[in-house]
Amino acid sequence: MRRVNRGRKERIALTLNGRKTAGDAEPRMLLSDFLRHTLGATGTHVGCEHGVCGCCTVTIDGAAVRSCLTLAVQAEGREVRTVESLAGADGKLNKLQAAFQKHHALQCGFCTPGILMSFTDYLARNPKPTEDELREVLSGHICRCTGYAGIMAALKEAAGLGGTDKADQ
């Protein structure tokens, strides 16, 4: 474990979206701020800064985490993925992103990166979820625009459950 001195910047080296990178951060700097302001990964949004809204969700070593509750120093040497990692190198949307586009599952789009990152992790661990399980994971995200119907339709399609929400039937 490395020793961290207050008031000094620490060099944080990590793998971001498949590429090794590094930047300087004060010991108390949040990962969300480090990603956005130091490394330029602005797809990570910051909403409530209390871990409630889910906008800042990224994955660390494959597990979804709230980057507003994680210190940048905690990402040292780890693999961090943000929404920028989801589309292919050619810009082609992945299955989850394409389902969001098809079902108009966003309006302002502020919450979308966090939802996409949470479900990238969740569907990798649980490729055959039930609709209720999808709703449970989605309950960790706040969207002020959509009413969630389009989001649920997209999640269901990406999970292989069809693309309609039971509330719409």
Side-chain angles (χ1 to χ4, degrees):
M1 185 98 168
R2 71 191 211 172
R3 186 178 207 150
V4 178
N5 296 321
R6 288 191 181 269
R8 252 183 51 164
K9 289 196 174 188
E10 298 291 324
R11 189 76 174 160
I12 310 297
L14 55 89
T15 301
L16 178 62
N17 299 330
R19 294 201 313 234
K20 293 199 180 291
T21 190
D24 295 328
E26 291 183 14
R28 64 179 182 230
M29 183 180 229
L30 297 174
L31 180 58
S32 55
D33 294 331
F34 182 69
L35 292 170
R36 291 182 57 79
H37 304 296
T38 304
L39 301 181
T42 58
T44 301
H45 293 165
V46 179
C48 69
E49 297 186 272
H50 296 286
V52 175
C53 72
C55 291
C56 68
T57 304
V58 299
T59 64
I60 298 179
D61 297 334
V65 299
R66 301 292 205 246
S67 65
C68 76
L69 298 178
T70 306
L71 297 173
V73 296
Q74 292 175 284
E76 167 69 32
R78 301 179 76 186
E79 165 110 23
V80 177
R81 291 206 171 264
T82 67
V83 71
E84 289 95 341
S85 72
L86 297 183
D90 60 357
K92 184 178 179 190
L93 301 179
N94 73 11
K95 183 169 100 171
L96 185 57
Q97 291 172 303
F100 264 64
Q101 183 180 47
K102 176 182 174 184
H103 293 282
H104 309 286
L106 62 130
Q107 286 181 21
C108 82
F110 195 80
C111 66
T112 306
I115 294 171
L116 290 171
M117 294 310 295
S118 283
F119 280 94
T120 295
D121 167 38
Y122 183 73
L123 293 172
R125 290 183 293 109
N126 185 7
K128 296 183 188 263
T130 65
E131 183 174 339
D132 287 339
E133 289 170 332
L134 293 175
R135 288 180 184 282
E136 177 68 23
V137 175
L138 185 58
S139 73
H141 291 272
I142 296 173
C143 174
R144 293 183 173 107
C145 298
T146 68
Y148 299 97
I151 294 171
M152 276 306 300
L155 294 173
K156 286 173 59 177
E157 180 172 311
L161 298 175
T164 59
D165 185 18
K166 71 180 177 185
D168 292 337
Q169 297 176 356

